[in-house]
């Protein structure tokens, strides 16, 4: 017997709570199963509907996804996590402060990783000078300007 795909619109109105509560519950379920992308999707929908708890959980899930992702994706995920965490209504609770601190630590680790990676020669100042895309720095004494002030 084929199973028809389900969507919240099929059910009408929720009997207990709001659609944000339903979306939050789905986010929790997917998070417990380790399906972080789906959890983020449902937490995002709940957070967009005004759920402060969902905004905090979304920030946490996005942070975990950033830890597991590629560097360029991690930057975007951490930026979104920061936006949700900083805009959460309950951002002053101990749990929220812990999540915000963890996100800031993730951002610092990402920045440190980027700082340790060698830049291609064209991306360094010396490489740009060699390619003539930046004028070399010339000392004032080299162009005939004296260091004396006249009054």
């Amino acid at each position: 017997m084929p199973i028809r795909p389900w969507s919240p619109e099929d059910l009408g109105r929720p009997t207990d709570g709001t659609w944000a509560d339903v979306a939050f519950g789905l986010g929790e379920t997917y998070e417990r199963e380790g399906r972080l992308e789906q959890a983020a999707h449902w937490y995002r929908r709940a957070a967009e509907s005004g759920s402060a708890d969902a905004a905090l959980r979304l920030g946490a899930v996005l942070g975990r996804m950033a830890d597991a992702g590629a560097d360029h994706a991690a930057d975007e995920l951490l930026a979104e996590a920061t936006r949700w965490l900083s805009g959460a209504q309950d951002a002053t609770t101990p749990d929220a402060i812990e999540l915000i601190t963890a996100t800031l630590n993730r951002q610092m680790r990402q920045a440190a990783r980027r700082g340790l990676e060698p830049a291609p020669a064209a991306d360094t100042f010396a490489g740009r000078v060699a390619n003539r895309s930046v004028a070399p720095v010339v000392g004032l004494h080299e162009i005939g300007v004296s260091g004396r002030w006249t009054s």
Side-chain angles (χ1 to χ4, degrees):
M1 175 166 151
I3 298 175
R4 183 172 62 116
W6 174 82
S7 72
E9 291 80 22
D10 293 340
L11 298 177
R13 300 187 74 83
T15 57
D16 244 359
T18 65
W19 282 122
D21 296 334
V22 172
F24 183 80
L26 287 169
E28 286 181 314
T29 300
Y30 283 124
E31 185 179 4
R32 275 194 303 273
E33 293 174 358
R35 298 169 67 184
L36 299 181
E37 286 184 30
Q38 289 85 358
H41 169 79
W42 288 106
Y43 283 141
R44 191 177 289 112
R45 289 186 71 174
E48 288 168 350
S49 296
S51 171
D53 290 337
L56 295 175
R57 291 305 319 143
L58 176 59
V61 167
L62 290 172
R64 288 173 49 203
M65 289 171 62
D67 286 345
D71 284 346
H72 68 281
D75 289 340
E76 292 172 15
L77 290 168
L78 288 174
E80 183 182 0
T82 301
R83 283 191 304 272
W84 282 110
L85 290 171
S86 63
Q89 294 169 352
D90 293 341
T92 58
T93 64
D95 290 340
I97 292 170
E98 184 178 335
L99 288 172
I100 292 168
T101 303
T103 301
L104 291 173
N105 287 335
R106 284 182 174 107
Q107 288 174 328
M108 290 177 64
R109 284 194 303 270
Q110 281 295 111
R113 274 189 225 119
R114 280 193 310 272
L116 294 175
E117 296 171 0
D123 288 344
T124 64
F125 181 75
R128 290 192 304 262
V129 169
N131 291 338
R132 306 270 189 243
S133 60
V134 172
V137 176
V138 177
L140 292 177
H141 67 280
E142 294 177 33
I143 58 173
V145 176
S146 69
R148 293 188 212 136
W149 290 94
T150 58
S151 48

